Amino acid sequence: GKILTYGSYDEATYKLKGLVSDGVLIEAGSKEEYINFSQSYFKKTIFGFGLELTEEQKKNVRRRSDSLYNNLYEWKPESRLAEEAKISPQPIYKDYASIVYDQLKAKFYKFKSGPFKTYFGLNTNCVLLADTIVGQAGIDIIKIQGLITPGAYFEYFNREFFRKNSFVVSRTIYYNQKNY
């Protein structure tokens, strides 16, 4: 019932143009709103894959996802801080986190400790976090293939989608028709 995304979203902590930064987890409440926002604001095409999991696998995935929150603390982007301080007129912030907050009223978290405390685009990235959660279903892709990039993760799921008797049972392509 929620969207989680992990990345280099605190621009104040950027090193190497954002390749390294504090790791930030964003929780948005509506899949549709997040997809619409991503498409309209960034002109993104998004691929979604549906996985067929057993009830036990679903429980493991939910348990792992829920356990992340034990190692998080709330972080507030600039636009939320200004809103709470009742700054008037409200400044317009152009950092991604503020834009996401303004558009979706999403929640933001940073990690207290562990590998996701620091985002590093080459290994401690969105794919590692996703695989940490999805791997609880017994499909730990990083153990199978080693270092994984978003493109390699996409290719893996795309290949699985076309394979017979695969756990990947659907693929949805979300694109903004105005972009084409």
Side-chain angles (χ1 to χ4, degrees):
K2 59 188 168 189
I3 294 285
L4 299 177
T5 181
Y6 170 76
S8 177
Y9 300 129
D10 180 2
E11 294 178 19
T13 65
Y14 275 14
K15 296 177 184 102
L16 301 173
K17 297 186 179 184
L19 184 63
V20 178
S21 72
D22 286 357
V24 176
L25 182 78
I26 300 175
E27 176 189 308
S30 165
K31 174 178 152 182
E32 291 77 22
E33 284 180 7
Y34 183 79
I35 288 170
N36 289 337
F37 165 75
S38 294
Q39 290 176 325
S40 65
Y41 190 79
F42 291 106
K43 313 293 187 237
K44 287 184 181 180
T45 296
I46 299 170
F47 292 83
F49 293 94
L51 308 181
E52 184 174 39
L53 304 176
T54 67
E55 286 306 312
E56 186 64 27
Q57 288 172 320
K58 289 177 188 177
K59 285 180 192 173
N60 291 339
V61 167
R62 285 186 188 108
R63 190 177 306 120
R64 179 61 180 127
S65 176
D66 291 345
S67 75
L68 287 175
Y69 288 86
N70 296 330
N71 190 31
L72 298 174
Y73 65 93
E74 188 176 15
W75 173 73
K76 298 175 183 179
E78 292 296 320
S79 64
R80 179 160 176 205
L81 293 172
E83 179 182 271
E84 289 178 355
K86 298 185 183 342
I87 295 174
S88 185
Q90 182 79 25
I92 297 174
Y93 293 96
K94 297 186 186 239
D95 62 294
Y96 181 76
S98 290
I99 294 165
V100 170
Y101 176 76
D102 290 341
Q103 296 296 312
L104 303 175
K105 297 302 181 208
K107 296 177 183 175
F108 296 78
Y109 303 94
K110 287 190 177 185
F111 287 81
K112 297 174 192 172
S113 61
F116 299 109
K117 182 174 174 47
T118 301
Y119 174 90
F120 180 49
L122 300 179
N123 63 8
T124 310
N125 57 25
C126 57
V127 174
L128 182 62
L129 183 70
D131 198 61
T132 298
I133 295 169
V134 175
Q136 299 303 305
I139 49 174
D140 195 351
I141 297 162
I142 290 179
K143 285 184 183 172
I144 296 169
Q145 296 187 353
L147 183 65
I148 294 291
T149 63
Y153 212 53
F154 167 79
E155 283 301 320
Y156 174 82
F157 281 112
N158 208 42
R159 243 187 347 268
E160 284 295 314
F161 174 68
F162 287 107
R163 202 171 60 81
K164 286 187 177 190
N165 302 318
S166 172
F167 66 97
V168 179
V169 295
S170 67
R171 180 184 70 179
T172 305
I173 302 170
Y174 303 94
Y175 67 95
N176 187 335
Q177 293 178 346
K178 294 177 190 172
N179 298 335
Y180 296 96

